[in-house]
Amino acid sequence: MEGSATVASKSAREEVEDVVVRFAGDSGDGVQITGGQFTLTTALAGNDLATFPDFPAEIRAPTGTTFGVSSFQIHFGSREIRTAGDQPDVLVAFNPAALTVHLKDLNKGALIIADSGAFTDRNLKKAGFTTNPLEDGSLDAYRLVSIDITKATLESVKPFGLSQKEAVRCKNMWALGLVYWLYDRDRKPTNDWLAGRFAKRPEIANSNIAAVNAGHSYGETTELSGEQSYSVLPAKIKAGLYRTVTGIEGLAYGLVQGAQSAELNMTFAGYPITPASSLLHTLSRLKAFDVVTFQAEDEIAACCVALGASYAGNLGVTASSGPGVALKMEAIGLALAVELPLIIVNVQRAGPSTGLPTKTEQSDLYQSVYGRNADSPLVVVAANSPSDCFYTAIEAVRLATKYMTPVILLADGYMANASEPWAIPDVDTLPKFPVAFRTDPDGFHPFLRDDKTLARVWAKPGTDGLEHRIGGIEKNYNSGDISYEADNHQKMTDVRKAKIDGIANDIPDQTVEIGKESGELVVVGWGSTFGPISRAVTRMRAAGKDVSHVHLRHIWPMPKNLGPLLKNYKKVLVPEMNTGQLITVLRDKFLVPAVGLNKVSGQPFKISEIEDGINGQLGQ
Amino acid sequence: MNVATRPEKLQAKDYASDQEVRWCPGCGDYAIVRAMQVTMAELQADPAKTVFISGIGCAARFPYYMATYGFHTIHGRAAAIATGTKIANPELDVWVISGDGDALSIGGNHLLHVLRRNVNLQYILFNNEIYGLTKGQYSPTSRTGTKSPSTPAGSVDNPVSPTLFALGCGARFVARGVDTNQKHLPEVFKRAQAHIGASFVEVFQNCIVYNDGVYDYFTEKDAVPDNQILCEHGKPLLYGKDKKKGLRVKPGAFEIESVTVGENGITEGDILVHDETSKMLATMLCSMQPPALPMAIGVIYCNPAPTYEDGLHAQIAEAKAAAPKPSLNALLRRGPTWTIE
Ligand SMILES: Cc1ncc(C[n+]2csc(CCOP(=O)(O)OP(=O)(O)O)c2C)c(N)n1
Ligand code: SF4
Ligand SMILES: [Mg+2]
């Protein structure tokens, strides 16, 4: 199993290759902050890592309830880490509800650290326990460490005079200190962060720091009642300067870089929706980069504001999640009809309608490729990880501005919130693609096209002598004036399609991520299934299986060598967090006998699930 | 189609594009486009910096006929698109052209917000109390009982008053004009253009095909004197053939009433003086309906406030002053980083 640590003798620290730790508690327990701090410290220790923050839909669900449980999983190791891990080796449960919800994910023998102080009769009842699992022997198959963390925390912060409520809030830091001891992590980055974060309230900063230290020394002095402690050595990853990055950060910085490469100011318009809102929040803090952010009255307006900004010569960007993107579609149709650049970021979430807003899925591929009235081709690209969001966003801007087209940029809730180490690029070395606005009135009309790209000229209002009118009504190919002529409509429809199809000549050939250019089986993925697929394929290949991994960034148009490439394999397996969308496109375009592997539980694929799928195809 | 060299002084005709106008003969829209071209010439507006953005409807065809920049967009959304254009380039003079369905049915939300935000643009609503382009269905401004293809037995719902809606949204400039009043309409447009902030203008427009004559009761030559009142800031609210009728606050009530100077001891001193900065008065003027009270025309409310894009760009300027040469490289390296050898 991915992420299983082996337990051996108890004396010195035992070296393990990789570990999965999950923190779980009430949404008010500070679980996400704890996870974030553990991630930072682990990154600074030089491990490779991947995280999976999982939130309840309710902001502050009633305390102690199972539906209010928030969790944060981190997988770290001394080797390359591609996923947040299939099964936790350690579960830190801040209350009985967190234990019930997550117990089923644990291997027998996993370590459970539970705050016995929160296992009150009331909380046990809310979580559906009739007897206390910490005492009734029902957890005998696990290594249970039951500590009254609440009490220990109150004890450790006593000198600082916090209110009872504030004091109890420090218990996440106590637990973090204990886990730091368990994996030999440095406490300093967290203590520094606490000092900075609560600079205005030193008593809170000091209490939290005291809690971290107390948790740590508890581990040290009691050796967790005989529990083993571990060390995870730094990973052998590519040399360079690293930071952690979430998908949202990757998108925000990539869009800023894209605008700079295109030499455009950016106007970003959004309407709050989980999990896309944080992009609006992040960009709102980047005003110094000539980023205008705008909170619109709805998604339609957001898309229209972005388009209006593109019309004026800015890079117009809008972002939402599936239901919001549905509202934007008419305006996206206008953007492609008037051939203006526009970036539409879709941070996909689970389910039709409201579905499961805080859970992940990749079920908006049909919506992106096909989801408009009439023949409405545009570009669709998909990021595959938090750091890849950065590069995919730049590619989206490049294509939108070079081809005067809307581009849908697909991410998902999982990669948006997850973080991973990122070798920070020197942005000065990234390619530039400055936009050349039309300024010459000689021979101008608004639908003059570049012979090669078929992109129309971009003439922005304010330019002397280029006054012109554009709109959604069909345009005359030769003048841009409105035209109801039959042949002209055919020609314009054809050129809109040819322009987008032609982009296939301007995107990189599809490469094989892992494995060979031909063989028995290829696993084709897109988006955030990258991690589990690549890990599963790596492991299966190590076990001697003839399987390769191909991962698509360009969903529409597709790389021109993709069809021939897929035909080099006897079998094609397409894992997707939907009921089979990319597979339809692949079958339709290339007539390949692809088979789907589909999961729509709101949770990312486990490596073992992909491995089972591969075995199924290879006949084992 | 584009003017490469521009005459010294632009005439109204210089603002007309070369496109064939496709409104029905006799449509009120002709008069409005004409008034706009006159307005442009009087302002000597720079065609390169002037942008007309419209939604969908008969009215929304307007931008095609102006020799400026123009964007004919989608139904109801022009206000949002224009907002994007204006915040991206505040130098542009942006005009939104909309119909009653476009503005108050499908686009009601965007009209509300563009006015509330006070984006510096002009929003001109061509009110013909009908859906023209889709062949005559009743609209949100149609009077109760309007017979139309979708309401053969007459509509049963209440109409919305565009100007009262605008005031309710927090508009800082509200005016009215009549399509056929070619002398007055350019004056209203000029005031709207001069106002810094969102300017809302309702133009009573006759749809000769589907709703002919709906405004006759106050726009017919004979009806005008007793059924229209021209609101001019600082002047008494007088009307009627010999300007003897006037408006005053009804004693003992919070209402406006029509009185006649020289009758029942009424003098000019009793007549309300138009104060275009008074929202209370504006609300009352917009509520007036003939025959009891005249239809208020002109600049009913004008009370400027800071604009949205000024506030927005001030924040950007502030951020840029604090970080004059922002570097993405530096940003990416801010916060915890580590080196792998
Ligand atoms: C999304 C959408 N829905 C419906 C229509 C059809 N439609 C076009 S114009 C219009 C109403 C126009 O009425 P109004 O705004 O009053 O303009 P008028 O034609 O009267 O000037 C409608 C319903 C459309 N073009 N787009
Ligand atoms: S239908 Fe009415 S509003 Fe439309 S062009 Fe004809 S007359 Fe004008
Ligand atoms: Mg109408």
Side-chain angles (χ1 to χ4, degrees):
Chain A
M1 244 346 97
E2 173 88 344
S4 305
T6 46
V7 186
S9 79
K10 285 177 190 152
S11 53
R13 286 190 176 272
E14 186 200 342
E15 229 175 77
V16 285
E17 194 185 37
D18 66 308
V19 183
V20 179
V21 177
R22 189 185 287 177
F23 299 93
D26 263 332
S27 26
D29 281 339
V31 168
Q32 300 301 328
I33 288 175
T34 312
Q37 284 303 307
F38 194 85
T39 304
L40 171 66
T41 306
T42 297
L44 292 176
N47 294 139
D48 199 4
L49 64 90
T51 69
F52 179 31
D54 199 12
F55 315 95
E58 288 74 16
I59 304 300
R60 282 278 160 93
T63 54
T65 56
T66 52
F67 57 90
V69 172
S70 172
S71 72
F72 187 100
Q73 181 162 317
I74 172 166
H75 181 196
F76 58 102
S78 56
R79 61 158 170 82
E80 215 169 58
I81 300 296
R82 286 290 170 82
T83 76
D86 283 7
Q87 253 116 6
D89 301 301
V90 180
L91 172 68
V92 179
F94 286 106
N95 66 12
L99 181 67
T100 350
V101 170
H102 295 289
L103 194 59
K104 62 179 187 318
D105 293 338
L106 298 187
N107 275 332
K108 301 282 179 253
L111 177 65
I112 299 172
I113 299 173
D115 176 11
S116 61
F119 281 63
T120 58
D121 288 347
R122 227 175 103 85
N123 280 347
L124 286 165
K125 210 168 135 215
K126 278 196 225 172
F129 288 109
T130 44
T131 59
N132 188 342
L134 304 183
E135 290 160 7
D136 65 9
S138 62
L139 300 175
D140 282 354
Y142 308 92
R143 286 137 59 216
L144 174 66
V145 175
S146 164
I147 312 166
D148 191 338
I149 297 179
T150 309
K151 192 168 148 215
T153 304
L154 290 176
E155 201 62 40
S156 66
V157 306
K158 213 180 233 156
F160 305 99
L162 298 189
S163 68
Q164 168 84 6
K165 204 171 142 200
E166 284 173 329
V168 172
R169 282 233 183 102
C170 299
K171 74 178 188 177
N172 61 332
M173 289 297 122
W174 196 98
L176 182 62
L178 180 63
V179 183
Y180 279 169
W181 168 78
L182 192 63
Y183 291 104
D184 198 17
R185 304 275 98 143
D186 186 4
R187 277 164 286 160
K188 191 169 178 304
T190 293
N191 290 348
D192 289 351
W193 176 82
L194 286 166
R197 162 115 186 218
F198 298 110
K200 291 215 181 87
R201 296 210 46 197
E203 72 282 12
I204 295 207
N206 292 332
S207 301
N208 277 290
I209 292 169
V212 172
N213 293 337
H216 191 272
S217 45
Y218 180 91
E220 214 160 42
T221 49
T222 64
E223 291 230 319
L224 271 195
S225 326
E227 183 55 47
Q228 178 67 43
S229 64
Y230 305 93
S231 74
V232 181
L233 296 179
K236 288 168 260 333
I237 43 183
K238 214 176 79 195
L241 182 67
Y242 281 76
R243 56 166 286 160
T244 57
V245 69
T246 65
I248 290 294
E249 289 168 337
L251 288 169
Y253 301 148
L255 289 167
V256 168
Q257 179 54 40
Q260 295 203 342
S261 293
E263 294 178 6
L264 295 176
N265 289 354
M266 189 202 308
T267 296
F268 178 95
Y271 183 76
I273 185 170
T274 302
S277 306
S278 12
L279 189 52
L280 174 61
H281 308 165
T282 307
L283 285 167
S284 296
R285 297 179 169 277
L286 302 181
K287 293 189 170 63
F289 290 89
D290 275 311
V291 177
V292 173
T293 54
F294 183 86
Q295 180 176 317
E297 55 271 29
D298 60 24
E299 285 87 351
I300 299 173
C303 193
C304 288
V305 166
L307 180 60
S310 287
Y311 172 62
N314 266 18
L315 175 68
V317 184
T318 186
S320 190
S321 194
V325 175
L327 288 172
K328 296 176 193 291
M329 280 303 179
E330 190 196 9
I332 296 172
L334 175 65
L336 71 91
V338 294
E339 303 185 46
L340 278 170
L342 178 69
I343 310 281
I344 307 98
V345 181
N346 181 352
V347 186
Q348 298 163 97
R349 63 190 217 182
S353 186
T354 303
L356 304 171
T358 60
K359 307 296 174 194
T360 199
E361 214 161 273
Q362 46 180 185
S363 41
D364 296 342
L365 186 143
Y366 282 169
Q367 183 193 46
S368 312
V369 176
Y370 304 123
R372 287 160 299 283
N373 59 300
D375 286 303
S376 306
L378 46 62
V379 177
V380 183
V381 290
N384 67 37
S385 73
S387 59
D388 190 54
C389 283
F390 178 79
Y391 301 101
T392 308
I394 296 173
E395 175 70 345
V397 179
R398 180 183 78 88
L399 294 175
T401 52
K402 183 167 178 185
Y403 291 90
M404 297 291 282
T405 176
V407 175
I408 294 184
L409 165 50
L410 292 171
D412 64 39
Y414 172 51
M415 75 173 86
N417 296 315
S419 61
E420 64 180 5
W422 181 32
I424 310 172
D426 176 1
V427 299
D428 295 337
T429 64
L430 296 171
K432 298 265 179 286
F433 38 85
V435 165
F437 288 101
R438 173 80 179 203
T439 52
D440 183 4
D442 202 27
F444 169 79
H445 77 76
F447 281 80
L448 265 183
R449 290 177 194 281
D450 180 279
D451 291 340
K452 214 166 131 250
T453 61
L454 298 179
R456 80 166 181 101
V457 291
W458 193 357
K460 57 179 174 181
T463 315
D464 273 329
L466 299 191
E467 296 81 1
H468 66 273
R469 276 65 54 195
I470 57 172
I473 298 181
E474 189 60 282
K475 286 135 296 264
N476 183 299
Y477 185 93
N478 298 311
S479 67
D481 292 339
I482 58 180
S483 164
Y484 294 95
E485 222 195 295
D487 292 348
N488 179 72
H489 177 52
Q490 178 78 52
K491 191 165 181 185
M492 287 298 282
T493 303
D494 292 346
V495 76
R496 283 189 288 264
K497 177 173 174 354
K499 178 177 85 169
I500 301 301
D501 288 349
I503 292 174
N505 299 313
D506 192 19
I507 58 178
D509 267 354
Q510 184 62 49
T511 54
V512 177
E513 208 64 48
I514 301 165
K516 298 180 302 174
E517 305 249 322
S518 63
E520 195 59 30
L521 174 66
V522 62
V523 184
V524 184
W526 67 282
S528 70
T529 52
F530 181 81
I533 297 178
S534 83
R535 188 71 195 140
V537 170
T538 302
R539 282 166 43 152
M540 299 304 271
R541 287 188 65 80
K545 306 279 164 72
D546 181 4
V547 53
S548 302
H549 176 197
V550 161
H551 215 80
L552 300 185
R553 167 181 281 169
H554 292 94
I555 305 293
W556 198 272
M558 290 179 160
K560 58 182 189 309
N561 69 325
L562 182 62
L565 176 66
L566 296 186
K567 286 180 181 156
N568 289 343
Y569 302 91
K570 284 207 190 99
K571 291 181 168 171
V572 179
L573 179 67
V574 185
E576 290 182 87
M577 294 187 284
N578 59 45
T579 57
Q581 299 194 4
L582 176 67
I583 194 172
T584 313
V585 183
L586 292 177
R587 283 193 193 137
D588 171 52
K589 282 198 67 94
F590 309 123
L591 295 174
V592 287
V595 174
L597 176 64
N598 304 94
K599 176 174 182 177
V600 278
S601 62
Q603 301 292 323
F605 271 107
K606 290 184 171 168
I607 296 161
S608 57
E609 291 166 338
I610 308 267
E611 288 179 339
D612 291 348
I614 292 172
N615 279 331
Q617 288 306 303
L618 294 177
Q620 278 123 26
Chain B
M1 64 181 279
N2 297 286
V3 241
T5 50
R6 203 164 282 149
E8 206 104 295
K9 190 165 189 309
L10 293 167
Q11 311 290 318
K13 65 172 170 35
D14 296 321
Y15 291 93
S17 77
D18 60 357
Q19 297 295 294
E20 183 195 336
V21 183
R22 290 172 184 242
W23 288 310
C24 309
C27 172
D29 290 349
Y30 283 95
I32 307 177
V33 82
R34 170 82 197 147
M36 187 61 79
Q37 287 158 357
V38 168
T39 305
M40 293 281 124
E42 288 183 12
L43 292 170
Q44 283 298 293
D46 181 351
K49 291 217 166 70
T50 306
V51 187
F52 286 90
I53 299 180
S54 63
I56 296 290
C58 295
R61 294 296 177 91
F62 188 98
Y64 289 116
Y65 310 134
M66 297 295 298
T68 60
Y69 281 91
F71 195 178
H72 179 219
T73 69
I74 45 178
H75 200 23
R77 320 298 173 194
I81 291 177
T83 299
T85 301
K86 185 68 183 179
I87 62 179
N89 184 359
E91 307 270 283
L92 299 173
D93 190 22
V94 177
W95 298 75
V96 175
I97 305 294
S98 189
D100 41 311
D102 196 57
L104 289 162
S105 206
I106 192 165
N109 193 26
H110 310 305
L111 174 55
L112 152 63
H113 291 283
V114 79
L115 296 177
R116 169 186 75 77
R117 288 191 183 104
N118 202 28
V119 180
N120 184 14
L121 47 72
Q122 294 75 249
Y123 195 112
I124 316 293
L125 189 155
F126 296 13
N127 188 3
N128 55 13
E129 297 189 7
I130 210 80
Y131 284 7
L133 194 72
T134 46
K135 302 201 190 316
Q137 300 85 353
Y138 85 118
S139 91
T141 57
S142 300
R143 278 156 244 176
T144 309
T146 298
K147 291 202 161 127
S148 82
S150 56
T151 51
S155 61
V156 295
D157 38 349
N158 284 317
V160 61
S161 155
T163 49
L164 285 175
F165 177 82
L167 287 169
C169 295
R172 314 293 304 206
F173 180 99
V174 173
R176 276 192 187 138
V178 179
D179 54 4
T180 47
N181 195 340
Q182 286 294 304
K183 251 178 61 201
H184 180 245
L185 204 48
E187 298 308 314
V188 173
F189 289 161
K190 280 192 285 181
R191 281 291 311 275
Q193 201 271 348
H195 172 77
I196 298 179
S199 312
F200 179 80
V201 181
E202 176 186 18
V203 181
F204 296 109
Q205 176 242 326
N206 191 46
C207 169
I208 196 167
V209 175
Y210 297 110
N211 216 9
D212 193 24
V214 265
Y215 298 127
D216 282 359
Y217 69 102
F218 67 90
T219 60
E220 277 273 273
K221 204 156 181 263
D222 293 347
V224 172
D226 286 337
N227 295 289
Q228 272 188 36
I229 185 164
L230 184 64
C231 305
E232 289 176 287
H233 185 59
K235 294 195 181 163
L237 288 160
L238 291 164
Y239 67 110
K241 217 164 237 118
D242 40 17
K243 296 274 182 250
K244 285 282 180 239
K245 288 187 171 183
L247 303 177
R248 72 158 185 178
V249 177
K250 191 173 178 177
F254 195 62
E255 261 174 55
I256 283 187
E257 66 173 349
S258 174
V259 290
T260 308
V261 176
E263 280 177 18
N264 304 322
I266 302 282
T267 67
E268 256 215 57
D270 295 314
I271 304 301
L272 270 170
V273 172
H274 183 43
D275 174 3
E276 64 184 24
T277 66
S278 164
K279 188 157 176 179
M280 202 85 85
L281 178 60
T283 307
M284 290 204 177
L285 293 173
C286 290
S287 311
M288 300 192 303
Q289 268 294 331
L293 290 164
M295 191 66 90
I297 305 291
V299 178
I300 298 168
Y301 184 60
C302 177
N303 188 10
T307 70
Y308 180 82
E309 68 275 15
D310 280 353
L312 187 68
H313 284 281
Q315 287 190 348
I316 291 175
E318 203 178 306
K320 288 172 81 165
K325 273 201 167 158
S327 146
L328 190 59
N329 262 340
L331 178 67
L332 296 182
R333 285 158 183 78
R334 195 180 297 161
T337 60
W338 67 97
T339 305
I340 303 278
E341 307 287 334

